[in-house]
Amino acid sequence: MAISVFAAVSFGSTYPNIVLVKEMFSGLDSFPLLAVPFFILAAEIMTGGAITQAVLRLAQSLVGHLRGGLGHANVVSSAMFAGISGSALADAAGPGTMMIRMMEKGGYDRAYAGALTIASSVVGPIIPPSITMIIYAMQDQNVSVGSLFMAGVLPGLVITLAVLIANGRMSHLRGYASGAPMPGMAEIARIAFYAVPALLLILLIVGGIRFGVFTPTEASVIAVFYALIVGMFVYRSLKLRHLPDIILRAALTSAAVLLILGAARAFAWNLIIEGIPQFLAETIIAWDLSPIVFLLAVNLLLLVFGLFMDPLPGVMILVPILAPISFALGIDPNHFAIIVIVNLTLGLTTPPVGSLIFIVSSTVALKPSTLIREMPPFFIALALALLAITFMPVLSTWLPEVSGF
């Protein structure tokens, strides 16, 4: 993106080349963006050691006794970790990797376990907290981070349910048995109690924002301190000697994310000075589409766009173009935001630039093409979930409304 802007400025405009650096810096010079590195750091602290084991054990105790139980545990644990990490890639690289190993030991095909992990990790940016939602709220003044956090809960659960059904169907066809006998209620209660400190993070963040105790940026800092306290004094798996490596990993991830956001801001600026967003908006409005047809067209556009670009730059480039049109058509801003975020996140599961495919491919030592061949049942499940989210606005609007956003 940065190279394309540099070429456009150098050969197609009278602007000086330094404008690229200026626009990249302007894209990062934002107080709400401070939440991104802090949420990444909190996720690095929370997704290790005993914390990960506690959530995985809870997921397995709840659904591990069903047919395809280890696969179900994979999906449920991804939904739980979504409330901790806010990132699909973090879910796949951390707990997802552990679940793939467990599934393979339980008799599942390694490629199938990897494909299931790819599909289940989609909920990472949908269930709050979500880095993608923070970036979206910066592009559309009709939504807030808090309202998007609430709007993502039910759609995230719908996606989880769709992948669970697909895994149940495939497990039945392939004869994947349950992972373990159903534990007693006392055992489930004990495991759940042990996992409560890890899962309370999502309530702390969303509740604190909802009741005005702190802003999303402040919530990200509080999440870091909460993660430190839980890791060091509750689970006692985090030691001071671990912190330098954790901070380094978080810094590298943050640098990569923020450089992409800066380049996306410069790219979006170049589109604006060329008049492309205005032209597209006028063209779409002139078509006089109904809201339903417009949403279907947006779904198709974003699914194609997601084949070639990750969600964060996609949000920065497309939302300023599409969000005003959807608002003019009377579409609820939170509903439209969730549709955009889900569509772009699905791009992480599709080639040629599907980041989840390549992360899981490296962890399971399989070719991406091998994983892709196992994906069709999950593509169908995710597509049906997307249609449900599109045609049932209440999934995205009910919780923000009852929560006062």
Side-chain angles (χ1 to χ4, degrees), residues 332-388:
D332 184 276
N334 287 310
H335 180 215
F336 185 74
I338 296 301
I339 290 174
V340 171
I341 293 170
V342 171
N343 269 288
L344 292 175
T345 304
L346 291 181
L348 296 173
T349 70
T350 53
V353 192
S355 301
L356 282 173
I357 296 174
F358 293 102
I359 283 183
V360 174
S361 171
S362 65
T363 61
V364 299
L366 289 173
K367 293 180 179 180
S369 58
T370 304
L371 292 173
I372 293 169
R373 282 196 294 270
E374 295 280 354
M375 286 297 297
F378 302 117
F379 285 146
I380 294 172
L382 293 171
L384 292 175
L386 175 60
L387 289 175

Side-chain angles (χ1 to χ4, degrees), residues 283-365:
T283 302
I284 294 173
I285 292 174
W287 289 344
D288 194 25
L289 302 176
S290 68
I292 290 298
V293 175
F294 172 74
L295 289 178
L296 290 175
V298 166
N299 279 334
L300 182 60
L301 169 67
L302 295 180
L303 288 174
V304 173
F305 192 88
L307 296 175
F308 307 102
M309 189 168 288
D310 283 342
L312 294 182
V315 165
M316 294 192 71
I317 293 169
L318 293 175
V319 170
I321 301 172
L322 299 175
I325 302 173
S326 73
F327 188 72
L329 291 173
I331 299 170
D332 184 276
N334 287 310
H335 180 215
F336 185 74
I338 296 301
I339 290 174
V340 171
I341 293 170
V342 171
N343 269 288
L344 292 175
T345 304
L346 291 181
L348 296 173
T349 70
T350 53
V353 192
S355 301
L356 282 173
I357 296 174
F358 293 102
I359 283 183
V360 174
S361 171
S362 65
T363 61
V364 299

Side-chain angles (χ1 to χ4, degrees), residues 57-59 101 117 214 221 227 256 269 284 290 334 376:
R57 286 180 61 199
L58 176 58
R101 297 194 188 108
T117 298
F214 37 70
V221 179
W269 167 84
I284 294 173
S290 68
N334 287 310

Side-chain angles (χ1 to χ4, degrees), residues 85-128:
S85 70
S87 166
L89 303 183
D91 286 357
T97 300
M98 297 177 65
M99 282 305 310
I100 290 172
R101 297 194 188 108
M102 292 172 61
M103 290 178 66
E104 190 174 10
K105 290 180 181 178
Y108 290 74
D109 183 77
R110 189 195 308 175
Y112 176 82
L116 178 61
T117 298
I118 292 170
S120 64
S121 298
V122 166
V123 297
I126 313 301
I127 295 177

